[in-house]
Amino acid sequence: MRLRAIRPRPADRRPAAPSGPASDQPSGPRPDRRRKRSRTLAPPAAVARLLAPAGRLLAPLAAVLAPYARKLKPVYPRPGRTGWRRWLPSWRQWLGGTLGAIGLTGVFLVIAYATTDIPQNLNSYATQQDNVYFWSDGTPMARTGWVQRQAMPLKDIPPDVRWAVLAAENETFYSDPGISFKGLTRALWRTVGEGDTEGGSTITQQYVKNVYLNQNRTVTRKFTEAMIALKLDNKMSKDKILEGYLNTSWFGRGTYGIQRAAQAYYGKDVDQLNASQAAFLASLLKGAGLYDPTLSKANHQRAVERWNWILDRMVKIGKLSARERATYTTFPEPLKTNPLYDTGQQSDYLVELASQYAKKAAHLSDKDFDLGGFQIYTTFDRKREETLTKAVTDAREQAKSAEPGLAKSAHYGAASVATDGRILAVYGGPDHRTQGYNESNAATVPAGSAFQPFVYAAGLQHGVVKKRDAPRVRITPDTVYDGDDGVPVTTPEGPYWDRSGRKVAAHNDGGKDWGKIPLRTALARSVNTPFMQLGMDTGLDKVKQTAVACGLLASSIGPQVPALSLGSSTPSAIRMASGYATFAADGMHTEPYSVHRITRNGSQVRLDASPARRAVDAPVARQVTEALTAASRPAPPPAAPAGAPVAGKAGTTEDDTAAWYAGTAESVSTAVVVYRMDLAKSLEPLPLKGLAGTAAHSVPYTIWSGAMAPLG
């Protein structure tokens, strides 16, 4: 009998478990690993059981396809072939690779479409428009902004204009899916083959590029553009896309959108264009630098050719009759220059004032305002502006002829303000492009004796205190003060001493003594000494309070020392005119304003207007006006308003650095200031040296009377 050795199984090789209670516990890690392995194997087994029915159903199909799949598998070198043919794939392999590539591309495009979102925010240039300013009569005054664009609803764009653009850019717009596969292929070929991209975009794609993306010519941007265009075409109506495209496209001459293009090239709104003009504007979409006929002869030739082609295309697609096409034989020459850029020398100052007020009254940030789209209706009167500008320009020219040396450093500021606060006209300087600051709004030089009406009004309104702890006493226009030159200024406590320990005294022009003089006469004759003392008796705080209530800015009021009553304050021409207008309005003051209405794309924008408020009592205002009427010239020059009651006052300074005239006629107050300052050397005022004329022939009064002439 043969003996056979039996090898122990691996399990038999394990050491025996110890006896006793401890044998009930696992002796090592091996049982734990077995349990973990069994848990990880369970789910695949369950999945296999679930997929088993599907596998049985697909098994016959797999059996049929298996031979073909094996044939598609590349075997190199190919058996049964010789030479280079051994390395060439079979037609089945070519077909399989092509179908696989198409399938993968389709999957990629589906995933890309699903994961591409339409951006929520448009880029800044897509939403930015220009702001339009209007004269008080509603006619356009100026347009400003980083871009020239005004959005127009599609219903306000004539069909001929729309179809001229569609014929030129995308005649299948209303039937295509938002992209052009032919154009995309051509663009890809150009990019891969020659390192550049080319058009072929639909209007939807161009709109996406304008408002969501940038102008970079890359394959990535082109692909993103196509994905967004497809999605946008499914979510937005064709009319809305076309409207957006027409309002965001670049047409050259600094303009975006068809409305500004019509104004820039033909000086008219888009709804006034005919098919011929529309065809030319449509040609600019291909490149304004190449098709603006005013730039070169070559451009003109290209523009004419494309204009003809677009009109013919409109006939071909049935959007223009052959009979009407036959009438367009002459190229519609555009304007030589863009009229939107010509705001005028003074209009720039007006725009500056209006924009500052608009942002403040409408609570608009600089960012929001610069995005544009606002229609700003100003209070500026075109005729008054032209008349005021002419009056100052004539004075400038006369000064250049008589005193060419002094005229180089001469400055003129002027403003007309109605009693209801409307700023009607200003003269800000010779040209905003060479002098950026506005003379009419500059607090530069002292008001001089033109400030006396505010001291007079303060005394009449608040009364005076002559002695310490005494009650205030009312005064009248007939109250008498000492008008002699060199009269010491006193306070209820005694003489007023300056910091150097000297008594302060007032002085009249020319050192003239007037004796005892009523206040109304002192105002009419510009006698200084009574008003310096009146200011002290009234209280310099009351003088400042009254001047600010009448319209002067607190920041322009001088220090509260006796010289305050002699006009050490530096109001602007606008504020001085506003203050005098308060007296003409029976003591009711309305803050000067330059804008009465704002809309944005047709919607009203709320303005916080300052209500009229009581500055001084009506009897006080009338008494000031009576004195100013007596102070105005008894024999005004011919240019002054004929028969119109004038209440005005000349103003000079002790050091001859400024000359003023402020006055009211027919509810309009105008203030004019002339001074000298060499801006290249210093901001200190210089002596006028006769540049402002004489008391008998005052240049500020001549300008004032010329500016007020239309009222006669």
Side-chain angles (χ1 to χ4, degrees), residues 640-654:
V646 174
K649 178 85 173 64
T652 57
T653 58
E654 188 176 1

Side-chain angles (χ1 to χ4, degrees), residues 53-115:
R56 287 192 295 270
L57 291 175
L58 295 176
L61 179 62
V64 173
L65 295 177
Y68 296 98
R70 284 193 294 271
K71 291 181 179 180
L72 289 174
K73 180 181 178 181
V75 178
Y76 294 98
R78 291 176 63 194
R81 298 289 188 275
T82 59
W84 58 270
R85 292 181 177 83
R86 300 173 62 198
W87 305 97
L88 191 66
S90 68
W91 67 270
R92 296 182 184 86
Q93 292 167 341
W94 278 112
L95 177 61
T98 301
L99 294 176
I102 292 174
L104 290 175
T105 302
V107 171
F108 172 73
L109 291 177
V110 169
I111 295 174
Y113 179 85
T115 57

Side-chain angles (χ1 to χ4, degrees), residues 32-317:
D32 288 343
R33 284 200 299 268
R34 242 190 333 263
R35 283 195 295 271
K36 289 180 183 178
R37 187 179 299 116
S38 64
R39 285 197 296 269
T40 58
L41 291 175
V47 171
R49 286 194 298 272
L50 291 174
L51 295 179
R56 287 192 295 270
L57 291 175
L58 295 176
L61 179 62
V64 173
L65 295 177
Y68 296 98
R70 284 193 294 271
K71 291 181 179 180
L72 289 174
K73 180 181 178 181
V75 178
Y76 294 98
R78 291 176 63 194
R81 298 289 188 275
T82 59
W84 58 270
R85 292 181 177 83
R86 300 173 62 198
W87 305 97
L88 191 66
S90 68
W91 67 270
R92 296 182 184 86
Q93 292 167 341
W94 278 112
L95 177 61
T98 301
L99 294 176
I102 292 174
L104 290 175
T105 302
V107 171
F108 172 73
L109 291 177
V110 169
I111 295 174
Y113 179 85
T115 57
T116 299
D117 294 323
I118 299 175
Q120 296 298 316
N121 298 320
L122 308 182
N123 65 48
S124 59
Y125 277 100
T127 56
Q128 194 169 14
Q129 303 178 55
D130 56 0
N131 294 321
V132 187
Y133 297 79
F134 298 88
W135 293 101
S136 59
D137 62 2
T139 57
M141 182 180 75
R143 295 175 174 86
T144 64
W146 292 105
V147 298
Q148 293 192 30
R149 177 192 289 122
Q150 181 184 352
M152 293 292 289
L154 191 65
K155 63 182 178 61
D156 294 335
I157 301 174
D160 281 346
V161 177
R162 302 181 217 169
W163 281 106
V165 172
L166 292 174
E169 295 293 308
N170 185 190
E171 65 183 61
T172 61
F173 169 72
Y174 279 101
S175 59
D176 65 38
I179 64 172
S180 168
F181 294 101
K182 180 179 178 181
L184 286 173
T185 304
R186 183 169 64 248
L188 181 61
W189 175 257
R190 290 274 297 177
T191 302
V192 175
E194 302 182 26
D196 190 15
T197 59
E198 191 176 86
S201 299
T202 64
I203 278 180
T204 306
Q205 289 175 262
Q206 294 181 56
Y207 174 63
V208 167
K209 178 180 65 176
N210 290 344
V211 302
Y212 296 120
L213 305 175
N214 53 46
Q215 305 299 316
N216 295 339
R217 296 190 168 192
T218 62
V219 175
T220 302
R221 198 271 295 159
K222 198 74 177 176
F223 180 78
T224 305
E225 170 192 301
M227 289 296 103
I228 297 177
L230 279 171
K231 213 156 206 178
L232 195 69
D233 192 76
N234 289 328
K235 292 189 175 183
M236 186 182 292
S237 70
K238 288 288 190 178
D239 281 350
K240 275 296 181 183
I241 294 173
L242 180 59
E243 177 184 299
Y245 173 74
L246 292 173
N247 284 319
T248 57
S249 296
W250 166 255
F251 285 87
R253 293 193 178 185
T255 61
Y256 287 84
I258 192 69
Q259 167 72 350
R260 283 291 179 264
Q263 294 167 338
Y265 287 93
Y266 290 108
K268 59 179 68 174
D269 290 334
V270 65
D271 59 2
Q272 298 174 342
L273 296 177
N274 58 34
S276 176
Q277 295 164 334
F280 162 68
L281 293 182
S283 70
L284 296 171
L285 293 168
K286 194 171 180 65
L290 295 174
Y291 291 91
D292 185 343
T294 63
L295 298 181
S296 67
K297 290 183 178 179
N299 272 24
H300 192 281
Q301 182 179 350
R302 278 191 293 265
V304 172
E305 291 175 355
R306 188 156 179 82
W307 166 76
N308 273 308
W309 180 83
I310 292 173
L311 288 174
D312 292 340
R313 293 290 297 174
M314 292 178 70
V315 174
K316 184 176 180 180
I317 63 177

